[in-house]
Amino acid sequence: MSGTEFVKLEGVGVTYGEGASKTQALCPTDLSIAQGDFVALVGPSGCGKSTILKLVSELLKPSEGNIFFSGRELGAKPVRVGMAFQSASLLHWMTVRDNVMLPLKIVPPFKAEFRAKRDGEFKDRVDALLEQVGLIDFADKSPWQLSGGMMQRANLCRALVHDPDLLLLDEPFGALDQFTREELWQTMQDLWMNRKSTVLLVTHDLREAAYLANRICVMSARPGRIIDDRQVTFARPRAIDVTFEPPFTQMVQDLRQLIVHAPAGPKADAA
Ligand code: ADP
Ligand code: MG
């Protein structure tokens, strides 16, 4: 792998619940992500994709194995994470600008300077992002005045405004119609090319993974494990038209075959 090893999972497994209701969600898994890379995790519903995101964002402790961030055990040092999910969950009583600014109010070191900078430097920072995703004219609107695609644009801005070390995306485009989704893929690609954030994208949409990511890790059905790990080398910026060309459609077809024909992972020990 090229670049610095930024996030590393070593033999990380997750079993939810106890006794008879025990569910092995993730087989012991190794995964390393290089700084500045854009990695997609793909696999069928329930294979443990969101579980991996919860582990990396410290919302969930692994049942076994260890997670490292820049070579240090997770938890040793605060990791600044940005997250976007399928539901944009913008606060309806705040303007779009204030929604996007919210992490600067909450996350150190920004929060200490929030009062002093909210109308100056922080506002400029938010507006620059809104400009980049084509939402600047909606900065003073309420979220309910936006379309679904616009809400997700604002959601991406909110996930990036505090310059996260790691951007975690859990099916953020899943609820959008195909045209809007493709527009958002382009926006996401532009944001990544400008900022070079480290991104971990979870999706069951193979076209989305192949369009956006530099690297795709394919997971089998539950209990999840990584069954394939490949680089995606299409030149950037990628136009949507690329997704209809033979090398791209062949890659999507290969990924689909891998998932469809993957044997289920080893069963958890009987309780
Ligand atoms: P994905 O995001 O790939 O759809 P998840 O990571 O959400 O899958 O879940 C993996 C498996 O673990 C699923 O079978 C799910 O039902 C189960 N699971 C997830 N969260 C919990 C939980 N809190 N308690 C019990 N089982 C869970
Ligand atoms: Mg999920």
Side-chain angles (χ1 to χ4, degrees):
M1 189 205 322
S2 63
T4 327
E5 207 166 67
F6 198 46
V7 182
K8 186 173 180 193
L9 275 67
E10 225 175 51
V12 170
V14 173
T15 302
Y16 289 109
E18 300 270 314
S21 63
K22 211 159 84 164
T23 308
Q24 189 185 18
L26 188 66
C27 292
T29 294
D30 295 329
L31 173 67
S32 288
I33 299 174
Q35 186 148 26
D37 209 354
F38 195 134
V39 179
L41 269 179
V42 300
S45 183
C47 73
K49 303 183 294 297
S50 297
T51 295
I52 290 185
L53 287 195
K54 285 179 197 155
L55 289 166
V56 174
S57 59
E58 292 184 84
L59 291 170
L60 178 71
K61 287 224 174 305
S63 313
E64 57 190 307
N66 295 297
I67 302 173
F68 301 92
F69 196 88
S70 298
R72 300 176 64 177
E73 202 145 349
L74 197 65
K77 160 175 171 272
V79 177
R80 208 186 296 156
V81 170
M83 289 200 237
F85 305 106
Q86 183 164 334
S87 148
S89 62
L90 301 171
L91 302 176
H92 64 85
W93 61 90
M94 284 186 179
T95 63
V96 170
R97 179 185 289 114
D98 286 346
N99 265 286
V100 173
M101 207 183 284
L102 207 54
L104 302 178
K105 191 176 180 179
I106 298 170
V107 177
F110 304 98
K111 68 176 190 181
E113 301 176 316
F114 185 73
R115 274 168 182 274
K117 295 191 173 172
R118 63 181 301 174
D119 296 321
E121 192 184 314
F122 287 178
K123 178 170 177 283
D124 294 344
R125 189 184 179 107
V126 170
D127 284 4
L129 263 173
L130 290 173
E131 174 86 53
Q132 213 181 332
V133 304
L135 274 187
I136 191 63
D137 294 341
F138 294 83
D140 296 309
K141 299 266 192 269
S142 296
W144 48 267
Q145 292 173 294
L146 306 187
S147 67
M150 290 162 118
M151 283 191 211
Q152 273 305 353
R153 284 173 200 276
N155 197 24
L156 289 178
C157 292
R158 187 177 54 182
L160 284 167
V161 74
H162 56 305
D163 274 336
D165 301 312
L166 181 63
L167 178 62
L168 302 175
L169 303 175
D170 197 344
E171 315 253 12
F173 315 115
L176 305 173
D177 65 84
Q178 188 181 328
F179 294 109
T180 310
R181 194 180 313 152
E182 290 173 355
E183 277 174 22
L184 266 283
W185 293 352
Q186 289 170 289
T187 303
M188 187 62 236
Q189 172 176 245
D190 291 345
L191 288 168
W192 178 78
M193 287 182 72
N194 273 305
R195 307 171 77 92
K196 291 284 185 277
S197 339
T198 309
V199 185
L200 182 56
L201 164 73
V202 154
T203 183
H204 59 256
D205 183 337
L206 304 177
R207 274 184 79 227
E208 178 168 298
Y211 175 82
L212 280 172
N214 293 336
R215 176 180 163 210
I216 300 179
C217 298
V218 182
M219 295 180 69
S220 72
R222 186 172 64 84
R225 72 210 147 82
I226 295 175
I227 53 168
D228 189 74
D229 187 343
R230 62 178 63 194
Q231 300 292 322
V232 186
T233 53
F234 304 116
R236 292 192 192 266
R238 298 173 185 161
I240 292 296
D241 287 351
V242 169
T243 68
F244 298 102
E245 289 171 4
F248 189 98
T249 51
Q250 185 61 54
M251 170 174 277
V252 170
Q253 178 65 3
D254 290 350
L255 294 169
R256 192 181 160 277
Q257 291 293 326
L258 276 168
I259 292 171
V260 170
H261 297 297
K267 290 268 177 274
D269 296 338

